[in-house]
């Protein structure tokens, strides 16, 4: 089997110390770091002498210009027309609200005031009806109680003998019943 590691690179002691620190920091061998460095510069086509990385700056500037151009295009195509339409809609809604407040609102307020008046009247009528029902129930109760008293009186009167004649008893009973009927 043939050894694939046939090349060597010579460099000063100070570079070796830096190289060693990088290898320790990354946790790899110096040979792995060297191979990865060569691959990096080969694939990225960067010049190791260019410490400011002009290619990266140029790529960022180009991407930045493209992004700004895209934003300006979107602003002209979408944002400005959308803003105009939103402003137009807001003005239309304000006109509708003003029309409502100036034209319909007073009429609605009058209708609401009328409804409130009618509602108050209905409440008053309901109160009167309740009072009448209570009075009617009170009258009926009074009539029933009075009729019971009268019947009791009549029975007690018949049990007492010799007080008055029968005709007078009947007249008294008729007068009392007539007065009960007047209570309606």
């Amino acid at each position: 089997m043939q050894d694939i590691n046939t090349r060597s690179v010579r460099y000063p002691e100070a570079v070796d110390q830096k190289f060693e620190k990088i290898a320790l920091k990354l946790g790899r061998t110096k040979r792995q770091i060297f191979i990865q460095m060569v691959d990096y510069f080969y694939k990225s086509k960067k010049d190791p002498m260019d410490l400011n990385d002009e290619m990266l700056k140029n790529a960022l500037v180009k991407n930045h210009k493209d992004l700004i151009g895209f934003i300006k295009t979107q602003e002209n195509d979408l944002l400005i027309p959308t803003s105009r339409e939103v402003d137009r809609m807001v003005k239309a809604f304000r006109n509708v609200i003003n029309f409502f407040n100036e034209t319909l609102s007073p009429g609605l307020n009058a209708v609401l005031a009328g409804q409130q008046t009618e509602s108050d009247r209905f409440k008053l009528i309901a109160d009167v009806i309740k009072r009448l029902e209570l009075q009617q129930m009170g009258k009926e109760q009074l009539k029933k109680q009075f009729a019971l008293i009268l019947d009791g009186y009549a029975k007690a009167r018949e049990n007492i003998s010799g007080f008055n004649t029968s005709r007078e008893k009947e007249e008294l009973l008729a007068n009392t019943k007539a007065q009960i009927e007047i209570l309606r």
Side-chain angles (χ1 to χ4, degrees):
M1 179 147 116
Q2 191 178 19
D3 188 13
I4 59 170
N5 299 319
T6 59
R7 302 286 181 226
S8 65
V9 177
R10 296 176 88 47
Y11 46 86
E13 183 73 28
V15 173
D16 186 54
Q17 288 174 357
K18 290 180 190 177
F19 197 32
E20 185 74 34
K21 284 181 183 177
I22 293 172
L24 286 174
K25 181 180 176 184
L26 297 176
R28 301 177 208 145
T29 64
K30 289 196 289 186
R31 182 176 174 274
Q32 287 174 325
I33 299 276
F34 181 77
I35 292 170
Q36 290 170 350
M37 285 189 321
V38 170
D39 285 341
Y40 174 77
F41 288 118
Y42 183 77
K43 288 178 183 175
S44 67
K45 297 181 172 81
K46 292 185 180 182
D47 182 6
M49 291 296 293
D50 185 12
L51 295 177
N52 292 329
D53 203 2
E54 285 299 319
M55 286 178 63
L56 180 60
K57 283 183 186 177
N58 291 340
L60 288 174
V61 167
K62 181 183 177 293
N63 287 340
H64 182 70
K65 286 181 183 176
D66 290 344
L67 185 60
I68 295 296
F70 174 75
I71 290 172
K72 285 183 180 180
T73 302
Q74 294 302 314
E75 181 181 20
N76 291 332
D77 292 347
L78 295 175
L79 295 177
I80 292 174
T82 302
S83 176
R84 286 185 190 137
E85 287 299 314
V86 168
D87 288 342
R88 186 183 65 75
M89 286 175 37
V90 166
K91 287 178 186 174
F93 281 129
R94 282 189 183 137
N95 290 339
V96 168
I97 291 170
N98 288 337
F99 174 76
F100 179 78
N101 287 337
E102 293 169 2
T103 306
L104 298 177
S105 185
L108 288 175
N109 288 339
V111 168
L112 289 174
Q115 284 180 341
Q116 185 62 39
T117 303
E118 292 301 317
S119 175
D120 292 344
R121 286 181 185 165
F122 284 135
K123 287 179 184 175
L124 183 61
I125 290 170
D127 289 343
V128 168
I129 289 172
K130 282 182 184 176
R131 275 190 263 138
L132 287 174
E133 286 176 349
L134 288 174
Q135 287 177 356
Q136 186 66 27
M137 288 172 46
K139 267 187 174 181
E140 292 297 321
Q141 283 290 67
L142 184 62
K143 285 180 187 180
K144 287 178 184 176
Q145 289 174 355
F146 193 72
L148 289 174
I149 291 171
L150 180 63
D151 286 342
Y153 173 76
K155 286 180 184 176
R157 185 120 189 341
E158 286 183 13
N159 289 337
I160 299 173
S161 61
F163 178 67
N164 284 334
T165 64
S166 160
R167 187 176 60 88
E168 288 174 347
K169 288 181 187 178
E170 292 293 278
E171 283 178 14
L172 180 61
L173 186 60
N175 284 338
T176 307
K177 285 186 178 182
Q179 288 175 356
I180 291 173
E181 289 298 319
I182 292 173
L183 288 178
R184 289 185 192 213

